[in-house]
Amino acid sequence: MSAAAFTGTNVMDIDAAKVRGAGSNVHFDKVSVAYGAHVVLHPLTLDIAPGEILAMIGPSGSGKTTALRAVAGFVRPASGRIRIGATDVTDLPPYERGLGMVVQNYALFPHMRVEDNVAFGLRAQGADRALIAERVRDALGTVGMSAFAKRLPRELSGGQQQRVAIARALAVRPRVLLLDEPLSALDAQIRRNMVEEIAKLHRDLPGLTILYVTHDQTEALTLADKIAIMRDGRVCSHGPTGELYRRPPNRFTAEFLGRANLLPVTVVEAAGGKGFARAALGDTTLASAGRDEKAGDRSLLCIRPQHLSLTDEGGHSNRISGLLREVHWQGELTHLVLDVDGTAVRVSTTRLPIALPEAGTRLPLFFAPADTSLVPEDAGV
Amino acid sequence: MSEAAVIGARPARVETGKFWILPPAALLALLFFYPLALIARQAFFDDSGMANVAEVTRVLHSRFFLNALINTVSISVAATAGCLIVGLVLALILAFVPFPGSRFVARLIDTFIALPTFLVTLAFTFLYGSAGMLNAGLMEAFSLPLPPVNFLYSSWGVVLAEVTVYTPFILRPLLAAFSLVDRGQIEAASVLGARPLRIVRQVILPAAIPALIAGGSLCLLLTVNEFGIVLFIGAKGVITLPLLIYGKAIQESQYQVACIIAVINIALSLGLFGLYRFAAGRLGA
């Protein structure tokens, strides 16, 4: 049976989950969490659409895991309501929410074989034997672990254990899958493979809503339809992944989501209609995609390291120059650090002049206005 | 001359380190194995040094020995079962039900290990004895001529006292085992639809089985050899092996009978100790 089996409509045959069949969107309605007087999640209002992957990213202590645990039912909100589909689950215990969850350390039951781990949720929900056998077979097949059904978790590698954990979560056909730093315990190579596998899994299971908590921006950028960036218990920005990356609404987002160069500029001419704003960096005037800046505003021109070029190419109408400080050759990529009017500017390039430039050389940098955006200087969180 | 011959010609060095085993071995032999051998000799041989199988057979088939053996086994099994149940419930509450002061309560229960066993028995006498607080209160409240609660002077009194004294021996390894249970497993089980009882049965208990076996066999070992509690309670007709050995040796001066029973008691204890070590080894203790 294909992975599409998990998106079938026959999900009411397991009686425990009250929320099943009621839709798979998640709605945070002014949800806050506090431990005593210490507020770890300030009132959060957020929607995750059915079938959407929302990545919550942020530094440690930013409240992203707390938000996920509130959805799972392990953290009681101090205020606000959480709805999954049409059901208010705020007061439901975790075992009645109809969710699947995968955590960083896999949390497989060590004394159970792989197939029993995967069958655990179905047995807990009182499914009959035939259904359990079918679901276990499907879930293991989906994650490519059918051949390991009789193994114990300790006989598997970290990546294999994480696949089993995903199969275990999928076997109960959750409307929402919660992934809490699921790849953090894996080494870099396996993590890259697993990101691709999760992406493929979601292509196969388009109806599955996923809340993905991570501190790894690459995982978030690769997998998420939307990203919510958390900081100090608040959502500092939220939107479609590409939009947040290309047009970060604030400095924290620009710096946290991918490396961004932020050059302090003064807006000379506001962007009108479809055009670009014009901003002054010292004596140089640059064109940039703008928001609602007005002439005279102080702002930050955001440009990603890979969008800076050492050579003038078509469409790269912006030109600045800087003093080369550092050169880091990393095989397929070369990273340069230049000093541009006192600001460190990073350049990542696959193409260089014939010889590596030496530190101390003044180099021109070219970039296209469409690859830039203006970030308000004072827009913190 | 070859290298081998030169090496062979060197004077052999005396390794003095291996002789350090002698003092403790000699002390152990003098204080433990020799008296043990004397007990075994007294049990199986008569004064002329001849094997006395008939006396051994007679004692093993005697009513007083069989009664004591049955009492010992039944009381220790009941007490161990009680310790396992009470210890498990307490450990689950202390480990998984957060409440203020849980660590203090755990420490308080631990202190029972440090107290002499007769102290609990004495406390029980004050509480549940014929002239204890409970009976005095009931007799006064209901104008009863005789104490209505008299379980203390039966096997149940012994079992209750032993459960009170030895439950910490179950609690401690269980709390250690529970502290190693990954909370993520419990949360994953819960999200998958498992209710608390299923989580205890299928996730927590399998992780605690070695601790239960280790604690249980230690309890069994201690209760089989318990002397003070049984003697202090003085329950009518409740004679266990240690009490029988005491009676035969001290009160009746039947040393050979006492030694035969002692050898049986030692064999029982060693068997239980072997079980305990096996389980403790599985636990990693």
Side-chain angles (χ1 to χ4, degrees), chain A residues 139-328:
Chain A
L140 287 176
T142 300
V143 297
M145 290 294 291
S146 299
F148 300 87
K150 301 291 181 192
R151 298 261 186 104
L152 286 167
R154 65 171 177 267
E155 296 167 341
L156 303 175
S157 69
Q160 289 170 331
Q161 287 187 50
Q162 198 57 294
R163 283 196 191 97
V164 175
I166 291 170
R168 183 177 65 179
L170 291 177
V172 294
R173 294 189 183 175
R175 284 295 183 171
V176 178
L177 180 61
L178 306 175
L179 301 174
D180 187 8
E181 308 254 12
L183 309 181
S184 299
L186 304 174
D187 61 45
Q189 180 61 43
I190 297 173
R191 198 183 312 156
R192 276 195 292 273
N193 294 341
M194 284 299 293
V195 167
E196 290 166 11
E197 288 189 27
I198 292 173
K200 179 180 178 303
L201 183 76
H202 194 248
R203 284 197 298 275
D204 292 340
L205 307 173
L208 185 63
T209 307
I210 298 178
L211 174 54
Y212 193 107
V213 163
T214 181
H215 63 270
D216 187 313
Q217 49 164 303
T218 309
E219 290 172 24
L221 288 168
T222 309
L223 293 170
D225 300 306
K226 284 186 180 172
I227 289 177
I229 297 181
M230 305 284 293
R231 185 186 188 189
D232 297 333
R234 290 184 170 87
V235 171
C236 128
S237 55
H238 171 230
T241 303
E243 180 65 21
L244 272 192
Y245 184 79
R246 282 189 295 272
R247 305 273 181 266
N250 51 51
R251 181 177 198 139
F252 184 78
T253 302
E255 291 179 330
F256 196 84
L257 196 62
R259 270 189 152 173
N261 295 304
L262 295 169
L263 296 164
V265 294
T266 304
V267 177
V268 177
E269 185 182 324
K274 298 174 187 175
F276 293 110
R278 299 187 69 76
L281 173 68
D283 297 333
T284 311
T285 302
L286 304 166
S288 172
R291 292 174 185 274
D292 49 2
E293 299 84 3
K294 299 185 294 292
D297 283 354
R298 294 181 62 80
S299 189
L300 296 165
L301 188 142
C302 174
I303 174 79
R304 302 285 176 182
Q306 70 274 21
H307 291 143
L308 288 163
S309 172
L310 297 176
T311 53
D312 188 8
E313 297 172 5
H316 287 186
S317 57
N318 285 327
R319 181 185 189 278
I320 55 177
S321 68
L323 204 59
L324 183 61
R325 294 291 187 202
E326 298 170 33
V327 180
H328 303 284

Side-chain angles (χ1 to χ4, degrees), chain A residues 69 74 94-96 99-101 105 107-112 120-121 123-125 168, chain B residues 182 184-196 198-199 202-204 206-207:
Chain A
R69 290 174 65 78
F74 299 129
Y95 51 82
E96 287 186 0
L99 305 171
M101 186 169 168
N105 61 351
L108 296 177
F109 309 125
H111 55 284
M112 294 183 198
F120 181 89
R123 288 187 181 130
Q125 295 174 8
R168 183 177 65 179
Chain B
D182 178 7
Q185 289 174 20
I186 295 169
E187 292 182 354
S190 185
V191 165
L192 289 168
R195 288 162 189 269
R198 180 181 286 269
I199 293 173
Q202 296 190 341
V203 179
I204 295 173

Side-chain angles (χ1 to χ4, degrees), chain B residues 60-76:
Chain B
L60 293 185
H61 285 88
S62 64
R63 173 58 56 193
F64 64 84
F65 169 75
L66 291 174
N67 279 344
L69 183 64
I70 290 167
N71 276 340
T72 304
V73 172
S74 58
I75 286 173
S76 59

